[in-house]
Amino acid sequence: MNRNQKIFVLLLVSLLSCSVTVVAEVPGKISGKVIDKSTKEGMIAANIVVEGTSLGASTDVDGNFTIQAVPSGIYTIKASYIGYSSEAKTEIRVVSGGTTTVNFELGAASLTTEAVVITAQAQGQQQAVNKQLASDQIVNVVSSSRIQELPDANAAESVARLPGISVTRNGGEANQIVIRGMQPKYNSISIDGVRLSSTNKDDRSVDLSMISPNMLDGIEVSKTVNADQDADVLGGTVNFKMREARGEKEGLGVELLAQGGYNKLSDAVNRYNNYKYVGSVEGRFFDQKFGVFVQADLERKNLSSNEMNASYGEYQNTFTDYIVNTINLHDISRDRQRSNATVNLDYRLTDGKISLSTFVSSGTTYTVDRGQLYYVNGNSISNNSENYTLAYTKSEVNLSTNTLNYEQQLSVFHINAKVSHTFSEVTDPGDWTATFQQQSSGIGSASGIPNLTPTYVVGFANNNLSTTSFSGFSNSDSYTKERSLTGSIDIDFPLNISKEISSIVKFGGKYRYQTRYYNYDLYNDEQPFGQTSTSVMTDSIESMLGLPVGNAKSMNITNYIDPNFHYGTFLNGDYSMIAPLNESMMQRVADRIKQVYALIGPSEGYGRDNFNSATSDYSGNENLSAGYVMATIHLGDQWTIIPGVRFQDLTTQYTGTRGEETNLDWKNYNHIDTTVTVDHPYWLPDVNIRYKPFAWFDIRLSYTNTLAYPDYSSFTPRYDLAQTGTIVLNNDQLKPTRSTNYDAYCSFYENTLGLFTIGGFVKQIDDLIYYKTFNVTGQDIKQYVVWQDSTHTSLGSEYMVDTYVNDPYRINNYGLELEWQTHFWYLPHPLDGLVFNINYTHTYSEAKYPFQFNYTTGVGRNTVTHVIDTFYVDRLIQQPNNIVNLSVGYDYKGFSIRVSMLYQEDVNAGYAFWPQLRQSTASYKRWDLSVKQNLPFGLQLYADINNINGAQDISVLAMYPNAQTANQTYDMTADIGLRWQL
């Protein structure tokens, strides 16, 4: 047992000894239920207090509550819920060792004697508000009612409505979230408290588009952490609560949903091929003890887009001018097909519950990408050329979780034990790209001219198809797999000093074993087709297609164009694309190339690229062990203090490729596999404080320490010594990024006000990991040469090192968040149906990014290279300055409508030392509309119109807003559906 473990065991023993006195006291408890007076349904997150004491509780998903360790005596018990009138029960007697039952029926708040009807959107809002107020942490909530009432496209879209959160999109669909300016890889994503396996080959992020909102009971975003939560999170923790069987009646409940969709950007054939079908069954049996919830989701979505990407370089080492290197246009057809399923079983014990849940998601995205690539500057071989490409991709993503949870209240101790399994698998089998090249495109007229825009540069192209021939083909297979097995136990017990000072002491631990694997295989051309003496491959292709057999140069693009495909108005008419390649014909070409290679091996320069197929592969495992001690201390009814400390240790053991390039790399890359083990132990203290001086106001303060482990692409032991004088070296000794976090939140809440919050945060981030390139000479080279083959005789005198390092400078990340949620039930009809939500976030950071700047002076033998180590200052990557979310809803009887707007100011899009090359997104504003109408027999008709204003995802050079670096247009989409509930 090491020193850290001994310290933790001593803390647990001390706490357990304190509990002996508690057992001797044999206090009583108060249990009950809070229901809505009109609907008779349980109310989630209602607040229950024992007046004159520090004791209290909040209700669960069914409206039940229990207050433990209540000293014997006579009390007044009060139940409250924002939007409802409070109710107090007096003369409630609690006896030693006994259970006292107290139930409440709360009615909606009213300014008159008339009953107020809580509308559907208002109910969802109230659930979210009361859950936030019931939490001891700083959290934001999307309630079950709000998710189910007007569903978003996926879970990421639902989370994006909350303050402090922005999203990344692909084809118009949100897939990952950025919390408080921290990239997706810095956030924790879990289902029912179980962390999901990563779906990214490079880092620890998760694709949230895999999660359907229909199966969710709620979403909670924790901006701070307690000691009982995973500490490897810099931005926030997103926990998706899965639905379970509800209701007080035995028997089955059934829900069916059918939805069709429209994509304005797609061609006429595929414009209406979106669909979604959801079916669920739920019920409680055996005196409501056994619950079953089963749901299946099948959907198809067209996520086509028009895209432009441009790369730039600095002009003659100035700090103001740029040149255009490449311009790449894409017409992308994406067909995403996805299925989800969840099965939740639970059995309610006396003072406990056992539950078993399974979630499975499987998605396949078929992509056909027609491209037009212009080489302008930067590559002397390709300059002035133009490529026409067609790329086919089939990407498969599988994600699953299995969780067995046991919860039990014993005489004193409350135990929660959990065992879980998570799995992710990302496969890209048989991706391929075919390329036709025009050697002289005419675009060379723009070469070397500074500060041109991409739209101006492409105007120089002559697009001479008669000189454009088949020049290359590549295909690849990649596979990423991650699996985690986790066990945890949490134990808590009351430790009360008096009626005014009470506490819940909690301790526990977690162990997680994770395996991970990545493999990539690439087959391509060692040199362009038609430049070798043999023509076996090209003759075979043309013979198969019924074309005249000649040499490779006869494979002219005009024979492969699809006359029935039209690009239409590409990127709103800013660019034009020509010569669309025929997909079915190019698929036959791809199949024939693979077939010939399988029969005769490498032909015409085509074969397995052994260097690229081996250099980035890795496999390994991680062991995470953690233990914690914390206490929730209530001082009267105003103060809650939660101190805690967590010890978390991650040991990683990964195997990667180390090699040395030679002239034979394409055929035989000279490398070995190396395994490295690294340990990361950390003590992480925290304290959360809540002060509630008035019934309508509270202040929350938080001090926490969190961290982020390095990306897989940065620390797995990859190494490559290139002939070009470059050393590519992952850094297996990287330290985790650390963050010391300070939060302060003020909340104002009242029935007519709703909930208004204003808060700020500061994150002091140390050891941020980033990619760095620098020069080494002389004896310094040896420390970066971690492996050499015995055949290597000497090293060069100078090398460029590409690696990952910890930033030596601290980064301060500041933010301000405001939110107001209310509904206007107190206004005269028809305004009483209005529901209003708005939030605003401002984030600001100054990060110092170290950089090595090289320049030369003199000529000939007098040339001298000068190396300057410096840094530049910029925001954190993917951090927006300002975010606004606005939602206005209206309900009238069975009709609901919601108009929502998302505004996101420019976002830092990447690293760049040269000021003129720093990128940011353009401001983004998007309007959405949702409408629904209840019909007889449990039917509901709804419609969603997204991106009404046709917003585009655009990135630009920050100093030159007219110089776009990326543009993605996906236009408006619409869905209409019918839901039936029984």
Side-chain angles (χ1 to χ4, degrees):
M1 182 179 295
N2 61 36
R3 178 177 177 273
N4 290 325
Q5 292 171 327
K6 289 179 180 178
I7 294 173
F8 187 74
V9 169
L10 287 173
L11 287 171
L12 292 184
V13 172
S14 300
L15 288 171
L16 289 172
S17 64
C18 293
S19 69
V20 175
T21 58
V22 180
V23 175
E25 292 177 3
V26 193
K29 63 180 179 180
I30 301 172
S31 296
K33 186 167 188 172
V34 181
I35 64 173
D36 185 305
K37 184 179 290 186
S38 60
T39 65
K40 306 304 180 184
E41 295 181 352
M43 301 178 68
I44 306 170
N47 184 43
I48 316 298
V49 296
V50 181
E51 293 195 335
T53 75
S54 59
L55 303 173
S58 59
T59 56
D60 64 14
V61 67
D62 295 314
N64 298 315
F65 70 92
T66 299
I67 304 175
Q68 299 284 350
V70 183
S72 58
I74 298 175
Y75 300 97
T76 295
I77 315 299
K78 183 178 180 180
S80 59
Y81 194 89
I82 297 299
Y84 285 71
S85 298
S86 300
E87 182 180 1
K89 298 288 184 72
T90 60
E91 299 296 321
I92 303 299
R93 181 179 297 275
V94 177
V95 298
S96 178
T99 300
T100 302
T101 302
V102 183
N103 295 318
F104 298 89
E105 288 190 9
L106 303 185
S110 175
L111 299 178
T112 67
T113 57
E114 295 184 12
V116 174
V117 178
I118 303 297
T119 64
Q121 292 188 67
Q123 182 185 43
Q125 183 189 75
Q126 287 177 343
Q127 286 184 1
V129 165
N130 284 279
K131 282 185 176 182
Q132 287 180 211
L133 294 176
S135 175
D136 291 321
Q137 298 175 253
I138 297 174
V139 300
N140 297 110
V141 176
V142 182
S143 69
S144 171
S145 296
R146 189 171 182 183
I147 294 172
Q148 302 305 320
E149 176 61 25
L150 292 169
D152 289 305
N154 59 46
E157 299 281 7
S158 299
V159 178
R161 309 286 182 184
L162 299 174
I165 295 176
S166 55
V167 297
T168 63
R169 298 182 184 275
N170 185 24
E173 183 182 51
N175 57 358
Q176 292 187 323
I177 60 171
V178 177
I179 302 178
R180 291 179 162 180
M182 307 305 298
Q183 298 177 60
K185 64 182 180 180
Y186 295 132
N187 303 311
S188 171
I189 310 297
S190 61
I191 289 181
D192 289 331
V194 176
R195 191 159 189 158
L196 290 178
S197 294
S198 168
T199 55
N200 192 303
K201 71 178 180 65
D202 293 324
D203 58 43
R204 302 171 191 271
S205 62
V206 179
D207 183 354
L208 297 186
S209 68
M210 298 293 295
I211 302 174
S212 170
N214 298 87
M215 56 184 57
L216 298 179
D217 190 48
I219 307 172
E220 298 177 353
V221 179
S222 300
K223 305 291 184 61
T224 62
V225 297
N226 283 329
D228 59 348
Q229 293 176 286
D230 286 341
D232 45 327
V233 50
L234 296 188
T237 300
V238 181
N239 184 41
F240 296 103
K241 302 283 292 182
M242 303 302 287
R243 290 175 63 181
E244 63 178 33
R246 298 190 203 167
E248 302 300 326
K249 297 180 181 179
E250 292 200 357
L252 293 177
V254 179
E255 180 179 345
L256 300 175
L257 181 150
Q259 172 181 303
Y262 164 86
N263 185 316
K264 183 179 178 181
L265 187 67
S266 300
D267 58 71
V269 175
N270 298 314
R271 189 162 288 176
Y272 299 94
N273 64 358
N274 290 0
Y275 61 76
K276 183 176 185 178
Y277 304 107
V278 181
S280 62
V281 177
E282 64 178 317
R284 303 209 72 87
F285 310 93
F286 306 115
D287 295 327
Q288 302 170 23
K289 291 184 177 180
F290 180 59
V292 179
F293 177 81
V294 180
Q295 185 179 92
D297 178 314
L298 184 66
E299 59 184 280
R300 181 179 184 180
K301 189 172 294 186
N302 189 317
L303 298 173
S304 298
S305 62
N306 292 164
E307 300 183 14
M308 185 282 295
N309 300 99
S311 66
Y312 300 85
E314 78 281 358
Y315 180 70
Q316 296 181 353
N317 287 342
T318 67
F319 287 87
T320 55
D321 298 326
Y322 69 86
I323 55 173
V324 180
N325 286 338
T326 61
I327 301 169
N328 207 349
L329 307 178
H330 298 272
D331 181 277
I332 302 176
S333 171
R334 292 187 189 90
D335 182 9
R336 177 167 294 172
Q337 301 174 23
R338 182 183 298 128
S339 59
N340 295 280
T342 184
V343 178
N344 287 340
L345 310 175
D346 69 89
Y347 188 82
R348 296 175 177 175
L349 308 168
T350 302
D351 294 328
K353 184 171 74 172
I354 297 176
S355 60
L356 176 64
S357 63
T358 297
F359 164 73
V360 178
S361 179
S362 180
T364 302
T365 303
Y366 300 90
T367 303
V368 177
D369 179 354
R370 292 177 172 86
Q372 211 160 315
L373 170 62
Y374 300 90
Y375 288 101
V376 187
N377 293 286
N379 186 325
S380 59
I381 297 177
S382 302
N383 280 357
N384 195 33
S385 67
E386 181 177 357
N387 285 359
Y388 298 82
T389 61
L390 191 146
Y392 170 83
T393 301
K394 177 185 177 183
S395 181
E396 302 171 351
V397 181
N398 297 305
L399 189 66
S400 67
T401 67
N402 311 95
T403 305
L404 175 62
N405 189 71
Y406 168 68
E407 184 178 357
Q408 184 68 58
Q409 178 65 53
L410 303 176
S411 58
V412 175
F413 296 99
H414 176 263
I415 299 175
N416 192 342
K418 185 179 295 183
V419 178
S420 63
H421 162 261
T422 65
F423 175 78
S424 67
E425 180 182 61
V426 182
T427 307
D428 278 57
D431 295 354
W432 55 264
T433 302
T435 303
F436 289 78
Q437 186 173 79
Q438 178 186 342
Q439 290 292 335
S440 180
S441 66
I443 209 165
S445 302
S447 178
I449 302 176
N451 305 333
L452 299 180
T453 62
T455 51
Y456 183 81
V457 172
V458 297
F460 287 94
N462 55 38
N463 299 324
N464 187 354
L465 300 183
S466 63
T467 62
T468 304
S469 59
F470 191 56
S471 66
F473 176 83
S474 67
N475 66 283
S476 63
D477 303 283
S478 66
Y479 181 65
T480 308
K481 180 177 71 174
E482 180 175 303
R483 186 186 304 275
S484 296
L485 298 173
T486 306
S488 65
I489 186 167
D490 301 284
I491 301 173
D492 63 77
F493 60 88
L495 185 62
N496 298 340
I497 307 302
S498 66
K499 292 182 180 180
E500 291 76 25
I501 304 176
S502 62
S503 67
I504 300 293
V505 177
K506 187 176 183 181
F507 62 92
K510 170 184 283 190
Y511 177 78
R512 183 180 73 217
Y513 177 74
Q514 173 183 300
T515 58
R516 188 172 175 87
Y517 172 83
Y518 172 70
N519 182 75
Y520 178 73
D521 288 302
L522 174 68
Y523 296 80
N524 61 12
D525 317 301
E526 185 179 18
Q527 52 187 312
F529 274 74
Q531 293 187 9
T532 60
S533 58
T534 177
S535 60
V536 174
M537 185 79 78
T538 52
D539 286 352
S540 176
I541 292 171
E542 295 191 328
S543 176
M544 172 197 67
L545 296 174
L547 299 173
V549 176
N551 57 51
K553 294 182 180 178
S554 67
M555 292 184 64
N556 186 270
I557 192 173
T558 55
N559 294 320
Y560 299 86
I561 294 175
D562 187 347
N564 299 314
F565 186 92
H566 303 283
Y567 285 116
T569 304
F570 183 81
L571 284 180
N572 296 328
D574 293 337
Y575 301 87
S576 62
M577 293 186 69
I578 65 169
L581 293 171
N582 188 303
E583 178 188 350
S584 61
M585 182 177 288
M586 296 314 302
Q587 180 65 65
R588 294 174 65 191
V589 171
D591 292 340
R592 176 52 61 97
I593 290 174
K594 296 176 186 178
Q595 183 183 51
V596 172
Y597 173 73
L599 291 174
I600 66 174
S603 175
E604 212 159 334
Y606 174 82
R608 186 177 189 271
D609 185 335
N610 283 274
F611 166 68
N612 285 301
S613 296
T615 186
S616 296
D617 293 351
Y618 66 85
S619 62
N621 62 76
E622 299 184 352
N623 290 273
L624 182 142
S625 57
Y628 71 91
V629 178
M630 60 180 287
T632 303
I633 304 169
H634 299 284
L635 305 177
D637 58 0
Q638 293 186 340
W639 289 91
T640 300
I641 304 174
I642 310 175
V645 62
R646 182 180 184 87
F647 174 71
Q648 184 162 306
D649 185 15
L650 180 74
T651 301
T652 62
Q653 185 179 73
Y654 280 92
T655 300
T657 301
R658 292 182 173 177
E660 186 174 351
E661 294 184 41
T662 68
N663 292 329
L664 302 176
D665 290 329
W666 187 79
K667 296 180 179 178
N668 184 22
Y669 178 48
N670 190 18
H671 68 279
I672 61 172
D673 290 335
T674 302
T675 301
V676 175
T677 302
V678 181
D679 191 31
H680 299 294
Y682 286 97
W683 285 96
L684 302 161
D686 60 70
V687 60
N688 288 273
I689 300 173
R690 180 180 182 183
Y691 175 53
K692 187 177 179 181
F694 309 106
W696 48 267
F697 172 71
D698 69 46
I699 301 173
R700 300 173 191 235
L701 305 173
S702 175
Y703 163 78
T704 59
N705 287 272
T706 56
L707 50 85
Y709 297 117
D711 296 342
Y712 305 107
S713 60
S714 66
F715 81 93
T716 52
R718 180 198 174 197
Y719 168 84
D720 176 62
L721 180 62
Q723 288 185 305
T724 57
T726 301
I727 299 173
V728 179
L729 174 66
N730 281 2
N731 187 351
D732 51 51
Q733 298 302 311
L734 284 170
K735 294 182 291 185
T737 300
R738 297 283 304 275
S739 181
T740 303
N741 313 293
Y742 303 89
D743 292 80
Y745 254 67
C746 296
S747 299
F748 305 81
Y749 39 90
E750 195 266 338
N751 287 337
T752 54
L753 172 68
L755 174 64
F756 177 79
T757 60
I758 177 172
F761 65 87
V762 177
K763 294 179 178 293
Q764 296 178 336
I765 302 170
D766 296 304
D767 295 320
L768 185 73
I769 298 169
Y770 72 100
Y771 189 72
K772 184 178 181 181
T773 299
F774 55 93
N775 265 36
V776 291
T777 59
Q779 294 298 315
D780 293 336
I781 295 174
K782 293 184 178 180
Q783 64 178 304
Y784 296 102
V785 180
V786 296
W787 175 77
Q788 279 184 261
D789 186 75
S790 58
T791 60
H792 193 100
T793 57
S794 63
L795 293 172
S797 60
E798 182 178 353
Y799 282 87
M800 289 295 297
V801 178
D802 294 339
T803 189
Y804 295 86
V805 297
N806 289 108
D807 193 336
Y809 302 105
R810 168 171 287 184
I811 300 168
N812 291 310
N813 182 24
Y814 305 91
L816 174 70
E817 297 174 354
L818 294 89
E819 182 178 27
W820 184 29
Q821 304 182 58
T822 191
H823 67 102
F824 299 98
W825 57 270
Y826 49 88
L827 295 180
H829 186 72
L831 298 178
D832 57 349
L834 283 171
V835 180
F836 180 77
N837 292 267
I838 187 171
N839 60 68
Y840 165 74
T841 304
H842 173 72
T843 52
Y844 171 78
S845 63
E846 280 193 355
K848 293 181 179 179
Y849 297 107
F851 188 86
Q852 191 176 89
F853 173 54
N854 305 326
Y855 69 96
T856 60
T857 59
V859 294
R861 295 182 179 181
N862 296 320
T863 299
V864 178
T865 299
H866 302 272
V867 179
I868 298 177
D869 288 311
T870 182
F871 63 84
Y872 68 96
V873 179
D874 209 336
R875 285 177 290 168
L876 289 167
I877 305 302
Q878 293 189 341
Q879 182 177 72
N881 281 335
N882 297 290
I883 306 171
V884 177
N885 274 294
L886 171 67
S887 174
V888 180
Y890 182 76
D891 292 339
Y892 179 71
K893 295 184 178 180
F895 173 78
S896 289
I897 184 170
R898 181 180 68 182
V899 178
S900 57
M901 185 274 292
L902 165 65
Y903 172 79
Q904 182 174 292
E905 207 173 45
D906 62 287
V907 173
N908 184 11
Y911 301 115
F913 170 72
W914 302 94
Q916 70 271 35
L917 300 185
R918 294 174 194 170
Q919 302 177 28
S920 66
T921 65
S923 297
Y924 180 90
K925 182 167 66 175
R926 168 181 173 137
W927 289 89
D928 301 321
L929 173 69
S930 299
V931 181
K932 73 97 178 169
Q933 176 65 58
N934 290 337
L935 302 173
F937 311 110
L939 293 171
Q940 183 186 89
L941 180 67
Y942 67 90
D944 299 318
I945 304 176
N946 299 311
N947 196 24
I948 298 172
N949 57 316
Q952 300 171 277
D953 284 322
I954 298 174
S955 295
V956 299
L957 294 179
M959 287 178 59
Y960 295 89
N962 291 326
Q964 294 185 358
T965 61
N967 186 334
Q968 184 178 133
T969 300
Y970 35 80
D971 224 304
M972 184 193 76
T973 63
D975 299 296
I976 185 169
L978 186 67
R979 179 190 287 116
W980 176 63
Q981 290 179 306
L982 176 64

